[in-house]
């Protein structure tokens, strides 16, 4: 169990100048999913669980990015942001099973906040991954 709790701290911190930007993006991404969480859990449970996991991951990644921004933390930040962006694009284009009411709603305010937060996680994460190969 202790291995699961300390894995993000293994390795040397990169102390990237972008970690505050990415942490702010992670918080924005986490907060943007909370207002619709209960509704989504009731109507489309798998979307609600996804929103919950994104919020938890966002808050956790924000803390980890500020405390100890190791390669693993940056990799997780990139993965979470990329998957969330993919989900956003799919929900706005083809729709998702039992979740098609957002097709074409690209300017939905919480969606825009979410995408901006995820971009702030993804961009710096990719820069750090490329720089510290």
């Amino acid at each position: 169990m202790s291995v699961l709790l300390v894995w993000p701290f293994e390795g040397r911190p990169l102390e990237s100048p972008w970690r505050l930007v990415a942490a702010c993006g992670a918080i924005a991404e986490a907060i943007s999913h909370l207002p619709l969480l209960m509704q989504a859990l009731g109507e489309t449970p798998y979307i609600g669980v996804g929103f919950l996991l994104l919020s938890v991951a966002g808050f956790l990644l924000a803390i980890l990015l500020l405390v100890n921004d190791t390669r693993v933390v940056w990799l997780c930040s990139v993965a979470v942001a990329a998957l969330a962006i993919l989900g956003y694009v799919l929900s706005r284009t083809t729709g998702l099973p039992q979740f098609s009411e957002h097709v074409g709603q690209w300017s939905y305010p919480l969606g825009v906040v979410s995408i901006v937060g995820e971009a702030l996680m993804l961009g710096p994460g990719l820069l750090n991954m490329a720089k510290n190969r």
Side-chain angles (χ1 to χ4, degrees):
M1 180 69 160
S2 63
V3 172
L4 293 175
L5 297 175
V6 299
W7 69 265
F9 297 108
E10 293 177 1
R12 188 167 154 241
L14 301 179
E15 297 181 0
S16 168
W18 293 101
R19 65 186 175 169
L20 182 59
V21 172
C24 288
I27 290 170
E29 179 269 331
I31 290 173
S32 70
H33 288 96
L34 291 177
L36 299 175
L37 178 61
M38 295 310 290
Q39 178 184 354
L41 280 170
E43 294 175 3
T44 317
Y46 81 96
I47 296 291
V49 169
F51 284 179
L52 177 62
L53 292 174
L54 281 172
S55 293
V56 169
F59 288 123
L60 181 61
L61 285 169
I63 292 166
L64 291 172
L65 284 163
L66 294 175
V67 173
N68 194 23
D69 66 331
T70 62
R71 283 187 53 77
V72 171
V73 171
W74 281 108
L75 179 63
C76 289
S77 180
V78 166
V80 166
L83 289 172
I85 290 169
L86 176 64
Y88 181 84
V89 169
L90 288 175
S91 71
R92 284 358 187 228
T93 55
T94 61
L96 297 168
Q98 304 168 357
F99 191 74
S100 59
E101 64 269 11
H102 290 284
V103 171
Q105 293 184 2
W106 294 97
S107 60
Y108 183 69
L110 288 174
V112 172
V113 171
S114 174
I115 275 296
V116 168
E118 290 148 3
L120 291 174
M121 294 167 63
L122 185 64
L126 292 174
L127 286 172
N128 276 310
M129 303 273 295
K131 179 182 168 191
N132 296 298
R133 289 183 148 227

